[in-house]
Amino acid sequence: MANDQDETGGMASVKPDYLPGEDAGASGGFMPPLHITVDMPDFRFAKLTRIVTEHVLPKLVALHQPQPPVRPAVTLRGGEIAELAKLVMGPDNDDAINYVLKLKDGGVSLDDLHAELLEPTARMLGELWDEDKADFVDVTIGVSRLQRLVHAFERLGQVPDYDDKRRVLLAATPGEQHSLGSAIVQKFLRAGGWHVWTCASPDIAEPAEIVAKQWFGLVGFSLGCDVHVESLKDAITLVRERSLNPKIGIMIGGAAVTQDPDLVNKVGADGTAANGPAAVILAKKLLAEGLV
């Protein structure tokens, strides 16, 4: 038998010689070489070390590595909403934004800040105005400061000509007339710095015709009763198809939506607001989502 060590692989190659009694030149005594590779001890150790280092140890480290603590979900209560409402109608300082940042640092996500804090706070301001517990000026100041918070969190300062894009078209659902609620929404939107257009045409295609000719950041529809839900759905579809702004936001409101908030999804809108101040904050949020 001949033993030869592979200098590069650490392997031993073993092959039989010629049959006993036969010489190399005998035609019938030659057997084809049978190659058998056997790991040498040193090579087996090196290979095992590599497997442990590359595969086993990383998995063990990952299993025992400390995981970052999971913050529990934070539920915002009426107390936080009332506190922010008081702060935004108070002195013009940083108390409101510091309060919101404190909640954010405590685990409240940006989405929750909008949906569970800023918008409900704006709704509370509208309720205070309805109940004559706050005058229009104080409520408008509060809404303006809430808009400033949205502006800060959405980084709208990075959007060129943002103010020029605060253009909203308010329309009645085809078959309905503008309600008092829509007039109040107009009042607060204008006070909040929005350029407001209105459309009271019964033609289902009229709002789409308007947004096809001029750029709007948002369209708001009012819906008084659920009889015209399908008409509203068709009007929203046409607006999205024809709008010069491919990311135009759609907001709906009115008595029918108050009774069935799921109408937002049924008609393909982006959100709803309970009153004028809440509509201002929702409008700014929807515009921000389309621009940032």
Side-chain angles (χ1 to χ4, degrees), residues 154-262:
E154 296 289 353
R155 303 183 303 279
L156 292 174
Q158 301 174 12
V159 180
D161 303 324
Y162 169 78
D163 289 337
D164 293 338
K165 297 182 185 297
R166 284 196 284 181
R167 298 162 55 92
V168 56
L169 172 66
L170 296 180
T173 296
E176 295 190 354
Q177 297 296 319
H178 272 294
S179 64
L180 174 62
S182 178
I184 293 173
V185 170
Q186 291 181 47
K187 184 175 182 178
F188 277 102
L189 282 168
R190 288 194 171 100
W194 286 78
H195 309 285
V196 182
W197 280 255
T198 60
C199 173
S201 172
D203 185 355
I204 192 172
E206 184 64 21
E209 293 289 337
I210 296 174
V211 300
K213 295 175 182 176
Q214 298 186 63
W215 193 99
F216 285 89
L218 183 75
V219 174
F221 287 96
S222 61
L223 181 65
C225 62
D226 57 8
V227 174
H228 301 103
V229 169
E230 289 301 320
S231 295
L232 176 57
K233 182 177 180 180
D234 293 341
I236 289 174
T237 299
L238 285 174
V239 165
R240 292 199 189 279
E241 288 176 352
R242 304 204 57 190
S243 173
L244 290 176
N245 176 10
K247 295 182 178 180
I248 193 167
I250 305 293
M251 175 175 63
I252 63 174
V257 188
T258 301
Q259 295 171 4
D260 182 11
D262 194 47

